[in-house]
Amino acid sequence: MSEPQKLPLIYVRGFAGDTSGINQVVTDPFYGFNEGSTHIRIGPDNEPDFYQFESPLLRLHLDEGYEILMDGSQAVYLDSHATVPPNSIWIHRFYDVSASTWSARPQEFRIETAAEDLLTLIDTVREKSGAPRVHLVAHSMGGLVCRCLIQKVLPDLGRDPAACVGKLFTYGTPHGGITFDFGLGMLERLRDAIGVNGAQIFGPERMYEYLTPKFLTGPDGPPPGWDPREMPSDRPFAFPRERVFCLVGTNPADYDVAHGLSAAVVGSRSDGLVQIDNAYVPGAHRAYVHRSHSGRYGLVNSEEGYQNLRRFLFGDRKVEAALVGHRLPDREDTAWQAEVGLSVRGMQIVMHERTTAQWCPIQLRDAVRNVTAEGADGDAADTGACVPLVDTFLGSDLPRPGDTGSMRYALHLRILSLRERNGLLSFGSHLEQTADFDDTLVVDVFTGRASSAPALSAVWNSDIPGSIRDHLPDGSARTDENPEPGVWVGHVELPGTAAPILGADARIRLTVTPWH
């Protein structure tokens, strides 16, 4: 099987604010995609430590062989070369025309214009590289520029976005807009009415305009219940949501270090600027990392962000984990939560982390209701519910320190309960940061051709004698329960200690499929 062709990659940056902010942005040749970092939060005291991350731009050059092409400017290079290599990175410099440093009459920034110019760049790069599509990588507002292209500009032209865009990866994009944690909506209405520095683009009225094609736009603005996060799959030229990955930041405090009182206004369940619930597209892939919106602890200039990006773009296997068949104790006074962590062998960071301390645990009863409403597998009364825990992407050709012939990752699962009395939390029998169930599932996906049926081994840490690093799969792969070729499905029973909480039938369902 030949290696799939590398597709060109286009980076789209976030909101710059007023003219002075725009002027500062345009002095950077790569609009921030070249920014690395040396700070990382580590340890229980949350003190910073030194960790050198070179930047996503340099890492894509070193790890994946991408080229950075310029001849005074990328535009000049494209104009002066008949062909360009497909493994190339391009920066969508949409803010240049709005900078006063180039002209005394800068153009007003409009998100639709930025999206139209992005299409011009995509078509040029595709034509000169011979690549069928490009990947889009975006930070913050840049993801909305990409969605404007995908959901409005291309459909209005009668073009299928899936024909020219391969995958879309967003860092901290306000897919649901930017909302505030207090003020009962007054601050949002004031922002949208005044439009300070163009910030009304993060309000529902303006988002409806640039995320809805003309042939579907109503005369009275967004209809009741309209959700800007949605990328509808039931309309003409719909872009597949499985090609979208949203990286969600959960650390508001470090954004405040550089941006004052932002987190106090937006709220603690955020990355300091974008609330957690607004940072993803429902139905798309997503990961939660304890990083802020930007700054020295930001999403883009982080190892966590890069590793999720790299595996989503270039991995060859997708592994999904879900909690199925469970039954929570019938206690109306108890709220049940799941915490999930995902670590990949050889990585010095956690790839995905949903915890109560970071304001983003999985609310199990809510998850059950949501899954049941969507009619997902396993939601019948006789079988219990299905709660997706995490999906990740692995690469058989990525370096694996301590390689044992498999791609290994660990799924850390904790189940916690909170008692309530008269609508208030009750702490009479509470043990802080102590879970009712706590164990780690160690999963080995064995290498092979991406099109072949995978083999998989999984064991709970509580059943591994000694250290995990010394654990070797015994060679007996788990049984594939799915007859469909190329798709592996299996169930892993939970340890017996979980039965009083989740029921005797609770298990982890693992699904492995080819990914490219």
Side-chain angles (χ1 to χ4, degrees):
M1 179 180 175
S2 61
E3 283 292 314
Q5 181 188 34
K6 285 282 198 318
L7 297 180
L9 191 152
I10 297 178
Y11 174 68
V12 189
R13 69 151 289 128
F15 187 60
D18 60 10
T19 301
S20 64
I22 292 172
N23 289 343
Q24 183 177 357
V25 163
V26 301
T27 63
D28 187 334
F30 301 105
Y31 269 23
F33 202 47
N34 56 316
E35 291 185 5
S37 61
T38 57
H39 286 66
I40 188 171
R41 291 292 190 191
I42 191 168
D45 54 3
N46 208 31
E47 291 295 323
D49 197 4
F50 183 86
Y51 183 94
Q52 189 168 346
F53 173 68
E54 304 95 311
S55 81
L57 184 75
L58 185 56
R59 289 291 289 278
L60 287 166
H61 171 71
L62 296 173
D63 293 344
E64 297 294 337
Y66 270 78
E67 298 186 37
I68 306 159
L69 305 173
M70 291 196 179
D71 188 6
S73 78
Q74 287 187 143
V76 170
Y77 191 97
L78 284 170
D79 287 342
S80 59
H81 289 75
T83 61
V84 298
N87 56 321
S88 51
I89 297 176
W90 307 90
I91 309 299
H92 180 30
R93 298 189 59 91
F94 59 89
Y95 266 136
D96 287 3
V97 295
S98 300
S100 63
T101 53
W102 307 131
S103 169
R105 296 181 179 178
Q107 297 180 19
E108 179 184 2
F109 169 75
R110 292 192 79 253
I111 202 165
E112 291 92 339
T113 303
E116 292 163 358
D117 292 343
L118 175 58
L119 177 57
T120 300
L121 177 59
I122 289 173
D123 286 343
T124 302
V125 170
R126 288 176 61 217
E127 177 186 359
K128 299 205 170 192
S129 68
R133 290 171 294 277
V134 304
H135 294 318
L136 299 177
V137 178
H139 176 225
S140 193
M141 181 201 69
L144 299 179
V145 173
C146 295
R147 286 185 57 198
C148 177
L149 167 73
I150 289 170
Q151 293 178 235
K152 179 179 177 65
V153 173
L154 283 165
D156 279 345
L157 294 173
R159 294 177 57 177
D160 182 1
C164 60
V165 176
K167 299 171 186 174
L168 168 63
F169 184 98
T170 66
Y171 295 94
T173 288
H175 292 286
I178 294 179
T179 55
F180 306 119
D181 209 26
F182 63 91
L184 301 176
M186 292 179 59
L187 292 177
E188 290 94 331
R189 290 192 291 271
L190 180 63
R191 173 202 61 196
D192 297 345
I194 298 176
V196 180
N197 297 328
Q200 71 274 14
I201 62 172
F202 303 117
E205 297 286 339
R206 187 71 181 91
M207 294 183 77
Y208 178 74
E209 291 178 357
Y210 64 74
L211 292 177
T212 309
K214 291 179 180 178
F215 59 85
L216 291 175
T217 302
D220 302 322
W226 181 76
D227 186 350
R229 301 179 306 163
E230 293 286 349
M231 295 182 69
S233 58
D234 58 351
R235 64 173 52 167
F237 308 114
F239 189 75
R241 286 174 295 189
E242 62 266 23
R243 293 202 205 171
V244 180
F245 192 111
C246 305
L247 192 71
V248 182
T250 63
N251 182 1
D254 281 325
Y255 189 72
D256 262 359
V257 171
H259 297 84
L261 298 176
S262 172
V265 178
V266 175
S268 53
R269 297 190 69 251
S270 72
D271 62 10
L273 182 63
V274 180
Q275 290 183 334
I276 289 173
D277 291 339
N278 286 337
Y280 64 88
V281 170
H285 306 287
R286 63 185 188 262
Y288 295 72
V289 296
H290 196 52
R291 288 283 182 164
S292 62
H293 191 75
S294 61
R296 68 174 67 97
Y297 300 102
L299 288 163
V300 179
N301 54 321
S302 72
E303 188 77 52
E304 294 93 330
Y306 173 72
Q307 293 299 339
N308 277 289
L309 169 70
R310 186 186 183 195
R311 281 160 172 73
F312 174 66
L313 293 185
F314 310 116
D316 55 26
R317 301 240 188 238
K318 178 176 70 172
V319 185
E320 301 168 272
L323 176 65
V324 299
H326 64 285
R327 293 182 180 276
L328 296 173
D330 188 15
R331 298 174 184 167
E332 292 296 330
D333 65 343
T334 303
W336 295 92
Q337 300 174 333
E339 294 186 339
V340 177
L342 179 74
S343 301
V344 175
R345 178 170 51 194
M347 295 293 102
Q348 297 172 259
I349 45 86
V350 179
M351 293 275 294
H352 169 83
E353 194 171 17
R354 296 191 66 174
T355 68
T356 55
Q358 296 168 13
W359 302 90
C360 56
I362 300 171
Q363 306 293 341
L364 287 178
R365 292 201 187 276
D366 290 344
V368 169
R369 284 196 293 270
N370 289 340
V371 171
T372 302
E374 294 169 6
D377 293 341
D379 62 3
D382 293 337
T383 59
C386 166
V387 177
L389 297 177
V390 65
D391 52 274
T392 191
F393 303 91
L394 303 174
S396 58
D397 61 341
L398 299 179
R400 300 187 299 276
D403 191 3
T404 59
S406 69
M407 297 171 282
R408 172 175 290 180
Y409 75 92
L411 176 67
H412 186 191
L413 176 63
R414 303 176 81 226
I415 306 296
L416 304 96
S417 60
L418 295 173
R419 300 290 295 274
E420 296 178 333
R421 180 175 296 172
N422 298 323
L424 300 175
L425 292 179
S426 174
F427 296 100
S429 58
H430 177 76
L431 293 171
E432 180 63 20
Q433 297 188 19
T434 303
D436 296 297
F437 170 79
D438 190 338
D439 211 334
T440 299
L441 186 65
V442 180
V443 181
D444 285 276
V445 181
F446 296 98
T447 57
R449 293 186 300 111
S451 60
S452 65
L456 184 146
S457 171
V459 60
W460 291 98
N461 184 33
S462 57
D463 293 328
I464 296 176
S467 64
I468 296 178
R469 71 171 61 89
D470 297 327
H471 167 67
L472 295 176
D474 60 11
S476 58
R478 289 182 172 265
T479 302
D480 183 4
E481 303 171 19
N482 179 37
E484 183 179 346
V487 179
W488 188 98
V489 177
H491 292 82
V492 182
E493 299 78 11
L494 271 74
T497 53
I501 303 168
L502 299 174
D505 296 327
R507 55 206 185 278
I508 301 297
R509 183 176 66 201
L510 298 173
T511 305
V512 185
T513 52
W515 177 255
H516 256 316

